[in-house]
Amino acid sequence: MPDKIKFTIDGKECLAEPGQTIYEAARANGVYIPVLCHYEGLKPVGSCRICSVRVNGRWMASCTQPVTEGMVIENAVPEVEEFRKAIIEMLLVEGNHFCPTCEKSGNCELQALAYRYQIMVPQFPYLFPKREIEAFPGFLLEHNRCIQCQRCVRAIQTRDGQKIFTMKNRSKDVRVNVDRKLAAKMSEDQIQKAMDICPVGAILKKEVGFRLPIGKRKYDHRPIGSEIEEKK
Ligand code: FES
């Protein structure tokens, strides 16, 4: 069996399995690195950059970068944390995120990160873009809240491998696109999976939004990242 890889994160000596990404290895060593586009079990795409770290002085996305011997990783240092905070702020102003009325409040990773990074008022102006809400037989697609992480694109497919969610347009007009014919055939479980895998409240299974009351949700009492940090 190949030897373990030695590296450090913020001065802490850690060990990784060969092939692990920095994010995976950090997690295994009780170090929290925030992610948004990444989801366990899905191929990482490295698009949101919230998981950025500095490695030997260079910026890298920890969800795509494999660990190598002797890496010196900076994670919870002011410059890296400020960079992540700015990304969260940009995501908040770029869409329309009205947490108090959102069905996903308390289960939303973007909201939980905003709390973790103590964002009160973003440093950037709100753009208030005009976005639509689309309805499908079993779910709603709320484009106002979508952060284009592409988790749904990667996770939800038909049995024969056809993508139900894809991306269309470019730059500020990029949107999730749903194949209406395929969406009409989605099972209840698939719709639930799409809703659960969405880090925000963009995919909403009909009639279940408030089944679990606000106050009893995932991040209502446990800040994001605490499940990893508590294992230290
Ligand atoms: Fe790594 Fe999005 S979580 S780039």
Side-chain angles (χ1 to χ4, degrees):
M1 211 170 130
D3 288 345
K4 298 222 176 195
I5 298 165
K6 286 187 194 152
F7 68 104
T8 66
I9 299 186
D10 297 337
K12 175 182 169 169
E13 290 188 2
C14 302
L15 292 174
E17 302 291 340
Q20 274 186 323
T21 61
I22 295 173
Y23 165 75
E24 289 166 339
R27 204 183 155 99
N29 283 273
V31 176
Y32 174 67
I33 298 178
V35 290
L36 274 173
C37 68
H38 183 54
Y39 192 85
E40 213 172 324
L42 298 183
K43 191 167 183 253
V45 289
S47 64
C48 78
R49 313 313 276 191
I50 193 90
C51 69
S52 293
V53 289
R54 258 192 330 217
V55 182
N56 303 342
R58 290 181 59 199
W59 292 90
M60 292 181 181
S62 66
C63 68
T64 54
Q65 185 67 40
V67 184
T68 55
E69 184 70 30
M71 269 185 169
V72 177
I73 299 166
E74 291 173 276
N75 173 45
V77 298
E79 209 177 322
V80 173
E81 293 288 44
E82 280 304 314
F83 178 78
R84 293 170 179 163
K85 188 174 178 183
I87 292 175
I88 299 162
E89 290 177 319
M90 281 190 258
L91 289 171
L92 288 172
V93 302
E94 184 273 340
N96 295 307
H97 299 276
F98 305 117
C99 298
T101 56
C102 180
E103 296 86 338
K104 202 80 179 274
S105 183
N107 277 334
C108 170
E109 293 173 39
L110 181 63
Q111 180 194 46
L113 283 171
Y115 279 121
R116 182 179 173 103
Y117 284 85
Q118 300 182 345
I119 294 169
M120 306 301 280
V121 180
Q123 60 184 300
F124 309 107
Y126 284 99
L127 300 180
F128 298 119
K130 275 203 159 181
R131 302 235 175 110
E132 63 282 13
I133 303 172
E134 286 188 273
F136 300 91
F139 67 97
L140 300 171
L141 181 56
E142 229 297 15
H143 290 280
N144 288 289
R145 303 169 184 162
C146 178
I147 57 169
Q148 289 91 38
C149 65
Q150 303 184 38
R151 285 189 188 177
C152 56
V153 173
R154 286 172 281 155
I156 311 296
Q157 295 178 2
T158 60
R159 274 203 198 139
D160 58 354
Q162 292 184 72
K163 284 189 183 296
I164 300 170
F165 297 85
T166 52
M167 300 305 289
K168 66 175 180 184
N169 304 339
R170 308 192 72 163
S171 184
K172 69 177 180 34
D173 296 320
V174 71
R175 293 281 184 281
V176 167
N177 182 53
V178 177
D179 185 311
R180 283 197 170 267
K181 277 194 189 151
L182 297 180
K185 292 184 198 154
M186 281 172 80
S187 67
E188 293 269 312
D189 287 351
Q190 260 186 324
I191 296 171
Q192 186 65 51
K193 184 178 171 189
M195 178 169 163
D196 293 342
I197 215 162
C198 176
V200 289
I203 299 174
L204 299 166
K205 188 168 186 260
K206 284 183 180 170
E207 298 172 12
V208 302
F210 290 100
R211 197 165 277 173
L212 190 65
I214 286 174
K216 294 199 168 167
R217 297 175 173 198
K218 193 171 175 189
Y219 303 119
D220 284 338
H221 305 288
R222 249 180 135 207
I224 196 164
S226 59
E227 73 282 5
I228 297 162
E229 291 167 324
E230 281 164 12
K231 280 193 210 153
K232 265 189 224 170

